[in-house]
Amino acid sequence: MRKVAVTGLGVITPVGNSSQQMWNALLEGRSGISKVTRIDVTQYDCKIAGEVKGFTPDTWIIKKEQKKMDLFIQYGIAAAKMALQDSGFQITDNNRTKVGIIIGAGMGGLPGIEAQYDILKAKGPTRVSPFFIPMVIPNLTSGFLAIDVGAQGPNLCVTSACSTGAHSIGEGMRYIRDGICDAMIVGGSESTICQMALSGFASMRALSTRNDEPEKASRPFDTGRDGFVMGEGAGVLILEEMESAKKRGAKIYAELAGYGLTCDAYHITNPSEGGAGAARCMDVALNDAKVNLNEIDYINAHGTSTPAGDIAETMAIKSVFKDHAKKLSVSSTKSMTGHLLGAAGGVEAVISVLSLHTGKIPPTINLDNQDPQCDLDFVPHIARDKKLRSVLSNSFGFGGTNATLLFKRHL
């Protein structure tokens, strides 16, 4: 089986618009959650989110193209071009048909749909933008990017709610393993901080309403958690076939060695009892990588800060790892970034790779009163140094969809 190397990283996040900016913020325990500024939230129960700050699309996308793209596409292209730049990988006439792209979105261009619907109602059908459809379709991050960089291999979009980014990365790994591609640009992007998304999630009672303390609102595994905080951004990795990456002298951050995917087949929003589906997903990833339980040193948890979800994930980890579960370091970086929905798996894969590469584990902030039912080592408040051999990154989504990625240290 062909091995898969991670050679490039790119992110746009609420805590920084490069992997280094984000990483510094996470290790310092800085939150990117604040009051929503993009829309008037006076009438909303939830008034907070993890907005991206200081994003400059001109750095990555020429001006005339930007009006054709909703913000999730702009974030995805920026993160992807950043990752390509980081990797040093060159797309040429000799390799372009073997370079594929899978950058997914959980919800796509919801803000663009809102804006164009307002124009339709106010000014009539002839005033709707001719770019409206490509502006909002989830697969157009991959599509626009392919045109820009000339990648002519498989080009598609995974949409699997909050598992989107992780599924995109795992499927990209399979394309390299199977010899379909030699390199893949993979990850997730999302930007849905808008009226419809805030209203919809709030109506489900899924969002935190700790509006007076935004930076303390996302508190995974804490007794005071009251829902997740929506975030936005993008996380993209460059994957290459290991031997060809070595041959060109690439910097190899890690090996992507395992991928698990399962379905709870239980409920559209709640996890299965005891986290059974999540446990099977981690088992599948471990078996895929042929890695023993005691070789896993860190798990970047899905850890959304919801009452049911955090308990289910804790139970799943204990079910899989048994006695070794107590030796694991587990943290939820959503405590700082918020929940980036379809981009979460991409950004958290980047975080997992950086943890493995640097031997540093970002903390779970706001863990002031740990839930007794969440009784693992969640690295509270302060980052930790630890030599890591292998790490897992978990992503679970509405519809009962689950994804786990397993990264191994490259020796």
Side-chain angles (χ1 to χ4, degrees), residues 281-299:
C281 193
M282 287 183 273
D283 265 332
V284 172
L286 287 161
N287 290 331
D288 184 46
K290 297 178 175 58
V291 165
N292 295 323
L293 297 178
N294 61 7
E295 294 178 64
I296 303 298
D297 298 308
Y298 169 55
I299 298 176

Side-chain angles (χ1 to χ4, degrees), residues 333-344:
T333 45
K334 289 184 179 73
S335 60
M336 294 170 276
T337 65
H339 189 353
L340 276 59
L341 307 177

Side-chain angles (χ1 to χ4, degrees), residues 50-312:
E51 291 182 327
V52 167
K53 304 158 190 76
F55 175 65
T56 51
D58 292 1
T59 305
W60 307 103
I61 306 162
I62 61 174
K63 202 82 173 176
K64 69 175 185 177
E65 294 296 304
Q66 293 171 25
K67 65 182 179 181
K68 304 174 186 177
M69 305 172 182
D70 211 22
L71 204 47
F72 82 100
I73 297 176
Q74 295 184 24
Y75 288 164
I77 289 176
K81 293 177 84 169
M82 199 181 302
L84 274 170
Q85 191 176 85
D86 180 43
S87 74
F89 181 79
Q90 299 291 320
I91 299 174
T92 68
D93 288 340
N94 292 327
N95 68 12
R96 66 179 72 254
T97 60
K98 299 282 277 185
V99 180
I101 304 175
I102 308 177
I103 300 177
M107 298 176 72
L110 195 52
I113 293 171
E114 273 189 4
Q116 293 301 313
Y117 182 73
D118 287 344
I119 291 171
L120 172 66
K121 288 300 180 185
K123 299 180 180 180
T126 61
R127 300 298 295 276
V128 171
S129 170
F131 302 120
F132 167 56
I133 300 301
M135 183 190 298
V136 302
I137 298 175
N139 78 299
L140 259 291
T141 303
S142 294
F144 275 118
L145 180 65
I147 294 166
D148 193 330
V149 302
Q152 295 179 349
N155 186 285
L156 63 150
C157 164
V158 171
T159 295
S160 54
C162 305
S163 299
T164 293
H167 278 138
S168 299
I169 294 165
E171 294 304 314
M173 178 188 77
R174 286 179 164 180
Y175 281 37
I176 293 175
R177 276 184 175 178
D178 292 347
I180 296 168
C181 290
D182 293 327
M184 293 292 299
I185 306 169
V186 291
S189 64
E190 198 82 274
S191 179
T192 57
I193 300 174
C194 62
Q195 298 173 65
M196 288 304 299
L198 274 174
S199 300
F201 282 123
S203 294
M204 296 171 63
R205 301 185 184 277
L207 297 178
S208 171
T209 56
R210 195 185 285 259
N211 298 312
D212 295 334
E213 298 179 298
E215 294 181 352
K216 296 181 179 180
S218 183
R219 40 198 321 113
F221 311 110
D222 187 84
T223 54
R225 67 191 186 278
D226 67 333
F228 75 84
V229 178
M230 198 186 328
E232 62 174 353
V236 176
L237 286 69
I238 306 302
L239 306 181
E240 296 183 56
E241 190 275 321
M242 181 68 78
E243 293 309 312
S244 61
K246 287 180 180 177
K247 187 175 180 180
R248 75 173 183 86
K251 170 179 59 182
I252 298 173
Y253 284 101
E255 177 189 348
L256 175 52
Y259 170 42
L261 65 168
T262 63
C263 179
D264 292 356
Y266 175 74
H267 190 274
I268 57 171
T269 58
N270 291 331
S272 55
E273 294 179 5
R280 286 190 299 108
C281 193
M282 287 183 273
D283 265 332
V284 172
L286 287 161
N287 290 331
D288 184 46
K290 297 178 175 58
V291 165
N292 295 323
L293 297 178
N294 61 7
E295 294 178 64
I296 303 298
D297 298 308
Y298 169 55
I299 298 176
N300 186 283
H302 185 56
T304 58
S305 188
T306 58
D310 291 359
I311 293 172

Side-chain angles (χ1 to χ4, degrees), residues 357-373:
H357 187 64
T358 64
K360 295 181 183 295
I361 298 173
T364 306
I365 67 167
N366 301 322
L367 189 54
D368 301 324
N369 297 289
Q370 189 164 328
D371 187 333
Q373 295 184 79

